[in-house]
Amino acid sequence: GDPDTPERFWRHVSGMQYQSNFSLSPAQALRQIGSFFQLLFVEFGRPWLPAGLALAFAGFWRLFTQDRILLVFLILAVCCNLIFTAGYDIAEDKDAYAIPVFLGVALAAGLGARALLASVREPKRPVLSALLLLVPVLSLAAHVRANDRREFHVAEDYVQNILRGVDRGGLLLTADWQVASPMLYLQEIGRQRPDVICIDVLLLRRSWYLDYLESRCPGLMRRSREVVRLFMEDLARWEADPGAFRRDAERTRRIDDRFCAMIAAFVADHLGGGPVYATSDVVLSPGGENRSLADALLREYRIVPQGLVFRLPARGEAPMW
């Protein structure tokens, strides 16, 4: 988010652009909590062998009797994270959002194991230690295959296959984060296909991303400066007060028109020196937030399938068949 100003810093640390995903409706909370407990059993043992959770319970009990300050800390960490998990409606990555809870439970399980060892006499401790060691060993054995990503090349293969349909010097428009994110890695870290300009049209709704494009493709941005300036005027107002646009249909229509005009200017400018492509979520969008953009592009250009993308031929270009 390029947090180089106090306002942008606050937007970044407060997750401003994601706050609309929060809702504490009972139905959503129950759905999210149910998913959380499924993940909890995946992390600490199946329901028929909840040894890790049993150790965690013993650890919380030990803290209740001996260290209530640490107990309060762990309970606060777990409960605050559970509230967050229950209120944030996410479709994927749910396990990542529950990591603070898992860390708290793992710490409590370690304390529980320590308390059990301290409760038996010295001669029996080696046997009990071996039994307790089986808990993480069995968990590792049960999950190592599912978590082994050595041969997991879906993101790399997806982007490579998309790039096979993009000729040298192409401009690629996408609204798919599963394209834009690995593409960024491939180009910036892998140093592959630097000739391709990939623009995430969803991120174009954030002012910091337009600043990024200034450094990534300065020529394109310079030649489209006027339409970019008009859009950024409305974008700055929208970032300051999104509610004003929700209450004013004319404002919403204007910023949407300027958004489409800016992307159309990118396409027209790049077609003067190179090919332009789009993924299906940009040009085949019957509904949702990309509908007006798809309509605007399809009014001006034919789309020609080329591998996993669609090419937007320049006006007057003869069909390929």
Side-chain angles (χ1 to χ4, degrees):
D2 190 21
D4 60 347
T5 66
E7 181 184 8
R8 283 183 172 181
F9 176 80
W10 175 245
R11 288 181 179 277
H12 182 69
V13 299
S14 64
M16 188 76 70
Q17 70 188 74
Y18 304 107
Q19 290 180 12
S20 60
N21 295 329
F22 277 95
S23 170
L24 288 178
S25 68
Q28 175 177 304
L30 287 174
R31 184 174 66 252
Q32 295 290 89
I33 291 296
S35 298
F36 164 77
F37 278 106
Q38 291 178 349
L39 292 170
L40 190 67
F41 281 116
V42 170
E43 292 289 328
F44 295 98
R46 301 301 182 186
W48 45 268
L49 186 61
L53 294 177
L55 286 176
F57 181 82
F60 281 119
W61 177 254
R62 176 191 174 279
L63 291 177
F64 179 76
T65 59
Q66 299 183 20
D67 192 346
R68 294 191 178 181
I69 293 178
L70 181 55
L71 175 66
V72 170
F73 170 77
L74 286 181
I75 288 176
L76 282 175
V78 168
C79 289
C80 289
N81 190 242
L82 275 177
I83 293 172
F84 180 91
T85 303
Y88 191 51
D89 191 15
I90 48 177
E92 62 274 329
D93 301 343
K94 292 186 179 183
D95 48 348
Y97 287 88
I99 284 176
V101 174
F102 299 154
L103 290 175
V105 173
L107 179 58
L111 294 171
R114 181 182 180 184
L116 285 178
L117 285 174
S119 68
V120 301
R121 295 180 179 179
E122 187 70 32
K124 296 181 179 179
R125 287 183 182 177
V127 176
L128 182 57
S129 296
L131 290 175
L132 291 173
L133 187 61
L134 282 176
V135 176
V137 169
L138 288 174
S139 180
L140 174 64
H143 300 111
V144 65
R145 178 175 293 182
N147 289 285
D148 182 359
R149 292 294 190 266
R150 287 177 298 175
E151 302 301 326
F152 190 81
H153 302 291
V154 171
E156 179 184 6
D157 291 345
Y158 186 30
V159 173
Q160 293 285 10
N161 285 329
I162 281 178
L163 287 174
R164 287 190 178 94
V166 178
D167 294 332
R168 187 162 187 81
L171 170 67
L172 175 64
L173 304 175
T174 184
D176 186 353
W177 182 241
Q178 313 308 325
V179 174
S181 178
M183 183 77 74
L184 188 65
Y185 179 89
L186 186 79
Q187 293 184 315
E188 299 292 339
I189 306 301
R191 300 298 180 184
Q192 300 182 41
R193 293 301 302 271
D195 58 288
V196 174
I197 298 174
C198 180
I199 294 181
D200 186 329
V201 299
L202 296 183
L203 287 183
L204 281 174
R205 294 178 170 91
R206 311 295 172 193
S207 58
W208 64 263
Y209 187 67
L210 290 161
D211 292 341
Y212 162 75
L213 290 180
E214 287 279 0
S215 62
R216 176 69 178 87
C217 43
L220 180 68
M221 296 295 287
R222 183 178 63 255
R223 292 186 295 270
S224 307
R225 188 167 303 281
E226 183 57 25
V227 289
V228 172
R229 183 188 65 79
L230 290 174
F231 172 66
M232 289 194 70
E233 285 181 358
D234 277 342
L235 182 61
R237 298 187 185 102
W238 179 84
E239 289 182 334
D241 186 7
F245 283 77
R246 287 193 292 268
R247 296 187 297 269
D248 189 334
E250 177 58 27
R251 281 190 178 189
T252 300
R253 183 198 60 76
R254 186 181 65 192
I255 193 174
D256 194 50
D257 288 347
R258 289 180 172 181
F259 174 74
C260 294
M262 178 180 64
I263 296 177
F266 291 161
V267 172
D269 177 80
H270 196 82
L271 281 173
V276 175
Y277 305 88
T279 51
S280 60
D281 41 50
V282 173
V283 292
L284 298 180
S285 183
E289 55 190 333
N290 293 325
R291 181 179 60 187
S292 57
L293 174 60
D295 291 343
L297 291 175
L298 293 177
R299 280 196 298 267
E300 297 293 326
Y301 302 99
R302 294 177 296 114
I303 56 173
V304 179
Q306 189 163 316
L308 296 182
V309 296
F310 292 87
R311 190 166 63 89
L312 280 64
R315 293 179 185 178
E317 181 177 332
M320 299 178 64
W321 56 81

